[in-house]
Amino acid sequence: MRILVGFKVTPDFESLREADWIAGEGNLADGAGVETRYVPRLLNCFDESALELALRLRDAAAGRSFVEPQLSAVSIGGSQVEPFLTTLLALGYGRAARVDVGADVDFAPAAVASILAACAHDSDGGDVLLLGCRSGPGDGGTVPFRVAETLGWPCLSQVVEIEALSGDDLRVTCLADDCLLRVTVRPPCVLAVGNAVVSRLRVPTLRDRLARRDVLVDVLRAADLGIDIDLLLEREPAGLIGLEAVRRARAGVVVGGETPHEKARHLLDDHLRAVIERL
Amino acid sequence: MSLSREAIVEGLQHIVGPEHVVTDEQVLVQSSVDNFRKLQNIFDVHTMPVPAAVVMVQSTEMAAELLRWADEQGVNVIPRTGATATEGGLESAVPDSVILDGSPMDRIIDVDACNMQATVQCGVPLQALEDRARELGLTTGHSPQSKPVAHLGGLVATRSIGQFSTLYGGIEDMVVGLEAVFPNGQICRIKNVPRRAAGPDIRHVVIGNEGALCFITEVTVKLFPYFPESNRFLGWTLKSMTTGFEALREVMVSGFKPSVARLYDPGDAGLHFSHFAADDDCVLLFMAEGPPGISRATADGIQAIVDTYPECTQVDSAYIETWFNDLCWGPDKIIAEDERIRQTRNVNRTTEISADWSSIGEIYAAARDRIVAEIPDITMMGGHSSHSYINGTNMYFNYFFNVVGVGPEEETTKYYLPIISIICEETLKRGGSIVHHHGMGKARAPWVKDEYGSSYYMLETLKQAFDPSGIMNKGTIFPI
Ligand SMILES: Cc1cc2nc3c(=O)[nH]c(=O)nc-3n(C[C@H](O)[C@H](O)[C@H](O)COP(=O)(O)OP(=O)(O)OC[C@H]3O[C@@H](n4cnc5c(N)ncnc54)[C@H](O)[C@@H]3O)c2cc1C
């Protein structure tokens, strides 16, 4: 089985200050959006789960003398993506590629989906395409479904666990509204990973890195995949037009008092008694 | 004869009342270690002797009574406040120890903007004092990464240092006076004066004692005016640590006082700066602060010096400012890091040393090369210099390894202690100090005699004089 994981490298939005978001607004007219150049880059959290789940499938196959899946990873992006790809090569991904489209595709889910579908279609692509179910602020969560539609493959979303069965079948656990669905699927398929318990990617040793030092990251252009990126972006003229801060502050008070006893009394008298009496 | 566990708890309850004595099994087990053996708490596998109780200390008088009793009964006492220790200072090295937890003593007693000093109880989180000072346009100038979680008692007890130390100094430059209780119950106050020459400076008996001599109950620290609007940031990438140390040295010996002066090696730079530094780049960065004129002059002076190093390529200062805005580690980051370790078994450890300018580069290179060659499963070996002085600097070794083939409880023996051992050996060989700011704890206590040489006589005499029964934090600073 060939597993292709598509992942996105995102700015560390957490380390942007509120002022950074607002400052970006001034640039919106010229399309520059939020200024994220100065913050470190991270693996999108759902994609990180997907990358680790693929490695665990490989490990499990080795443990059960199944045929080991061949792992590949692909990301759309510039040179900033390379350190992540070399890490994946050191971890045992057979192939790591980036598609350099030379344009911002943050608000172009159809273009992203076309690129990922083309990668999966490629001769070195995959029977299973693993993706994160979404990728951060401004994302609509439609990419996995669009890719599946383009490929004509079934898509399971909110995947939290994947287990290899005999043959090429997979048992996939998905989180539904209030239950877990366990489904057996036969590839090809697209699996969109959600809030999986496995959320962190393992780390290669310096020796692993040394051993894979000579394996190079593939750099592809959209045209290499038969894609006219300008045409796709023309069809999808979306961009950032505004930002609004969402206030997430919880209502709360600091309970006064010097000692735990005093604090308990304040809590009861000032805050709880009225509620209890209403009950 | 030593008291039984039950008798110890009874004795404590009698002195302070049962409401201040915690005997919950989970609390006790978790209190048997600190960050030095943090994997034991992360994976819930415990091997250290479980303490008999944690006592929540409410006042100086209570601390005095407790210590007098423990001294008479020969019960080992471990002072604690913020519980962020990294070197085993909070580990219970012997069975049935008692943790004296000063965190309930959390009153900010006075913020005196005229005399520019603040007095607090030992359990005040540094962040709380800093927030209060900021309301008055002042700052403590102390900013360890653990600022949101460490308390003033522990910060003084470990001789901590903050990220702006090159301007404001370490905690020893900030402490004006204090109050401490000794094992015989003696309460000592060291008064708050700008300076005095009335004999030895006895503050230094208390600062850095790591709970091995006395329990700190109150601290007075200096305050400084706060000018965030004139902060200036400068950063460069370069290929060689040797050049970086040279530039750093030149800035320091030319008399400039940036608040932050750091040099990262490529490994460590990769963790923070990979969005602008190549994977073989070192990063040299500075921050200047203070009244606008001083800040400007400092930044301009540093710029002129580093400009004479053609190997240094300047980067947009916004990169450095963004990094600066996200420096501290609160509970959220600590919890996220614990979860990362739980899932990946990839552990991050640090060891900090100091040395003069002539030796620091050699120590860095020798220790780094040996660790990479001798220790298995290393995933990153790097470090940075973050606290510079006219005569030298520190090196904060920062390293990650995968724990492979052993249980979490063996992480220290298989990886961490052998690495510390290499760093201590290479540092001592070249005349440096094996501890720059985390304290000796129990982790580096085995090297104490080598660290002190002939002056160990003075250190040992302090222990014998102030803690003759040896009840204060057994194994910390002084190995068992
Ligand atoms: C994420 C993180 C970042 C850190 N960053 C820094 C940094 O930038 N700079 C730095 O210097 N350190 C740093 N540290 C280490 C640690 O925060 C410091 O050593 C700090 O000074 C400990 O303060 P605490 O209140 O947590 O003390 P604790 O952990 O409670 O105790 C530390 C030591 O002091 C003794 N002690 C505690 N309270 C008292 C008291 N009242 N009387 C006598 N002895 C006492 C204890 O017995 C122990 O030996 C960091 C730690 C973490 C976890």
Side-chain angles (χ1 to χ4, degrees), chain B residues 34-35 78-86 88-90 100 102 122 142-147 149-163 209-212 214-217 262 329 334 387 396 437-439 441-442 472-473 476:
Chain B
D34 59 26
N35 283 302
I78 303 171
R80 177 173 91 181
T81 50
T84 65
T86 54
L90 298 177
L100 285 199
C122 60
H142 201 42
S143 186
Q145 265 197 314
S146 52
K147 177 163 69 179
V149 275
H151 297 177
L152 263 299
L155 288 159
V156 173
T158 50
R159 276 187 101 83
S160 61
I161 203 162
Q163 295 160 118
N209 89 83
E210 296 186 49
C214 60
F215 186 84
I216 301 163
T217 46
R262 290 194 178 205
W329 275 61
I334 294 174
H387 306 276
Y396 188 87
H437 63 261
H438 282 166
K442 295 177 181 78
M472 296 299 289
N473 209 350
T476 290

Side-chain angles (χ1 to χ4, degrees), chain B residues 51-160:
Chain B
V54 176
V55 182
M56 306 307 288
V57 183
Q58 311 291 318
S59 67
T60 302
E61 292 67 31
M62 191 186 266
E65 259 193 85
L66 282 162
L67 285 177
R68 200 179 304 120
W69 174 84
D71 197 39
E72 281 165 13
Q73 303 298 334
V75 173
N76 184 48
V77 160
I78 303 171
R80 177 173 91 181
T81 50
T84 65
T86 54
E87 306 301 320
L90 298 177
E91 261 176 25
S92 47
V94 295
D96 299 334
S97 301
V98 172
I99 314 270
L100 285 199
D101 189 318
S103 59
M105 295 180 66
D106 61 355
R107 208 153 47 84
I108 298 178
I109 296 166
D110 185 31
V111 177
D112 179 349
C114 171
N115 296 306
M116 298 295 273
Q117 58 193 27
T119 302
V120 297
Q121 288 187 307
C122 60
V124 169
L126 176 56
Q127 187 73 60
L129 176 60
E130 183 65 26
D131 291 348
R132 181 74 68 83
R134 295 270 180 98
E135 286 167 16
L136 303 173
L138 304 175
T139 176
T140 60
H142 201 42
S143 186
Q145 265 197 314
S146 52
K147 177 163 69 179
V149 275
H151 297 177
L152 263 299
L155 288 159
V156 173
T158 50
R159 276 187 101 83
S160 61

Side-chain angles (χ1 to χ4, degrees), chain B residues 31-57:
Chain B
S31 301
S32 66
V33 292
D34 59 26
N35 283 302
F36 181 64
R37 291 181 207 271
K38 65 180 174 186
L39 263 61
Q40 299 207 2
N41 275 340
I42 293 175
F43 290 95
D44 203 15
V45 183
H46 289 92
T47 59
M48 301 304 286
V50 179
V54 176
V55 182
M56 306 307 288
V57 183

